[in-house]
Amino acid sequence: MRKRLPRLRPALRLPGRQTVTRVLVAAVLAAAVVAQAVAALRPHIPLLLAATAASLAVEGVLHRWQRGMVSLFAKSHADITVRHVLRDLLLVLGLLRLTPEDEETAYTVLVAGLLAFYALHCAIQTASVLVRRTRTLPVVTRNIDASALRLTPAPPALLRRPGPRLLVHGLPATAGLLVTAATGEPRCAAFGIAMSLGLALMGLYDLLVRLLPSRRPAGEQEVLDWFDAWLAAYRPTVGLYFSGGASSAYQANMWLEPLAKLDGRPVIILRERFMMQKIAATDVPIVCLPKVSTLLRLEQSTLQVLIHPSNSGKTSQVLRIPTIKHTFVNHGESDKLSSCNPYAKAYDEVWVAGPAARERYAAAEVGVEDKDVVEIGRPQLDAVRPYAGPPTGTYTTVLYAPTWEGWDGNPGNTSVIEAGENIVRALLADPGVRLLYKPHPLTGSVDARAGAADLRIRELVRAANRERAGERPADDGELSRRTRELDRLTIASFRAAADSVERMLLQSTPEPGRAEAVARATAAWERAYWASLPEWEHQVVTDARPALYACFNRADLLISDVSSVVSDFLASGKPYAVANTSGLSEAAFRGAFPTAGAATVLTPDAVGVRALLDAVRQPELDELAEARARLKRRLLGADEPSSQERFDMAVQALCAVARKRRVPGQRRDEETVSVSGTFTLPG
C-alpha cells in the first residue's frame, strides 16, 4: 500500500498585494490628517490645501476600491463621520488662525452652518434606518404578483449609505472652505456650506416622504395576512426547501427543472434573503421566510411534502411542522461518507437514485431504515445523451472534472493536488486529444495547495493552446445573439440601488411560456457556444455556462474523482476514469468506492492515460462496457419508467401519506406507514 503523503504545513507567506495596498492607503490617510493639523496650527495655506485634497482623494479610494478598510476604520471609532468632521474642523481652525481677532466673529455663521449640516446628516441617517425597516418585509417573493403590498422602488443608494452620502453632500462645504483658505473670501465658504445644506435637505425630504402611510409598503401583519391569502389561493402541494450559503445555491438549482415538471403545485421555500437572486431562472413561485414564526404558518397551508436537497442548521426548524412530510434527495450521490449523513434519519423518507445508495445507507448504519428509502433515479440526467459510439472526428474530447478538497483534509478527496498536473500533461501530450477542464467551484477554498495546482493546470492548458494552430470559426455574431436572448430570459436586471422590495416588484408573475422559451434558448446557446470554438482548442470551463451536463454530452471520456460527477456521467454509458490518490491499492480502492467499479483507475503518475485513450477510440479494447451498464443500473436504477416519472410518483405517494395525517381520527400507525415499505415503484 502506498504511503499517504503528509499534510504540508502552510508556508510563511509574504504580505500580499492587497495587504500592501491597504497599509499604503492607511499611511497616506494618516499622513494627510497629520499634515492638515500641522498646516492648520502654523498656519500654512499651501500645505493645508494639499493635505485636505489628499485626504479627500484617499476617501474616494476607500469607498470605491477598499470597502473592507471602511469597516475596519469604523470598528476603531474612526468612521467617515469622525474623519469628515475632523477634516472640516481643521479647515475652520486654519481659517481662524489666519483671520485677525476683530474679524473672527464673521466665521460664527460658517461654524453654525457646518453644525446644521452635520445635524441634518444625522437626521438623514435616522430616516434612512426607518425607511429600511419599513421595507424589510417578513416575506420576500419571486414569480408572485405582490402588487397588493404597495411595493415601490427603493430610495437612491446614496441616501442609504452614510459614508458616500457624507462625502457627496459635504464636498461643497469642504471645497468652499478650501477656496476661502486660499483667497480669504468668507463668501466662498458660505456658498459651499449653503449648497451642502440644500443637498442634505433634499435627501431628508425624499426619505421623509417615503415614511408617509400612503407611500410605505404594507406593514408586517398586512404582509402576513396577504401571504396566508396567497397560500390559500395557490394551494401548494409540494415544495423545495433550501437554506445555505451563497456558494451552495447550485444544490437547489439542480432540482428546479424536475420540480417544475411535477404533477402538482410546486413552491420553493428559502430562508435567506440573499438567496432569492441566487436561484436560477424558474417559473415556480419562490418565497423567502427568514423568521421561524413566519415559516410555521406553512402548517395551516395545503403544503404536503417538502423536498430537501441539503442539510443546514435551519432544516430542523421546518421539520417541526407535523402536517408536512419531509424527504431528503441530496444534491448528488457518491461513495463519500457525506452521501449517507446521519442527519438523514430526521426525514420521513430518503430518496436515492438506485440500489447502490440503498445499500450504502444500510452499510453505514446511520439510523435510516430501509423501508424509508425510495429509489427515484436522477431526474436531472434525462438531459444526458447516451453513448453513440467511439469518436468519429479528428479529436477525442476528454472532460477532466475533479472535485474539491473537502472539509476533512483527506488526500483522496481531490486529484488536483497529487495527480491533476500529471493527468493534464498526459492528455495534452496526445495530439488527438481536446481537453475540457472543469474544476469544482470550491477548489482551493480549504487547501491552498489545491488552488495553486488549479492555477498551474490552467496555465498548462493555455500553453498547450499556444502551441496548436488551426483555423477559428468565423464570428458571425450568433453566440452573442444567443447570449443576449438567454440573458434576457434568465437574468433579472436591476439598478444598483434596488432592494428586496423593488426586486419583488420587478419579479412578479412570469410571462406565460417563459419556461419553454428558456429551454429553447438554452439549447440554441449551447449549439452556438460549441460551434464558436475551434475543435482543436482546449477549454477551461469555469462559468455557469456551459453546464456540467452539456460538457457530458460533448465528452467522449470523463476523468474525475470519487464524487457525484462520476455517478451522473454513468447515465451516458461512456467510458470514465477515477483518480486514486487515497493511498489504497487498486483492489481496495474499487472495494471501498463502488462507483469506481466500472472505471479505469488512474494512479497519481497518470501512466494509464495512454491505454485509456486507446480503449475509448477502439471499442474492442474497452473491457468495461458491460460493467458500466450494470453499474449504471445499480447506481441510477432502471431506465423505465424515466427518473422524472419515478420522482413524480414518489411525490404523489408521499403526498397521499401526508393527507392521511390531516384526517381527524386517523390511527397513528396508519399515519406513519412508510410508502416504500408497502408500495414498490415500477422499475
Side-chain angles (χ1 to χ4, degrees), residues 317-337:
Q317 297 170 351
V318 75
L319 292 178
R320 295 161 55 185
I321 301 179
T323 57
I324 299 176
K325 287 293 184 178
H326 302 268
T327 180
F328 181 61
V329 295
N330 214 335
H331 51 274
E333 293 186 16
S334 72
D335 294 319
K336 294 179 182 178
L337 292 177

Side-chain angles (χ1 to χ4, degrees), residues 130-151:
L130 293 175
V131 169
R132 184 176 69 246
R133 289 180 179 177
T134 64
R135 298 179 64 84
T136 304
L137 305 184
V139 178
V140 183
T141 66
R142 191 175 128 191
N143 298 337
I144 298 173
D145 181 7
S147 57
L149 301 180
R150 302 190 301 276
L151 308 179

Side-chain angles (χ1 to χ4, degrees), residues 555-576:
D556 301 301
L557 165 69
L558 168 73
I559 299 178
S560 188
D561 304 320
V562 175
S563 69
S564 60
V565 172
V566 169
S567 303
D568 288 352
F569 190 78
L570 273 165
S572 70
K574 300 175 185 177
Y576 71 102

Side-chain angles (χ1 to χ4, degrees), residues 640-652:
E640 296 294 337
S642 69
S643 292
Q644 182 64 44
E645 291 175 311
R646 299 168 71 190
F647 179 47
D648 187 69
M649 293 170 67
V651 168
Q652 299 306 321

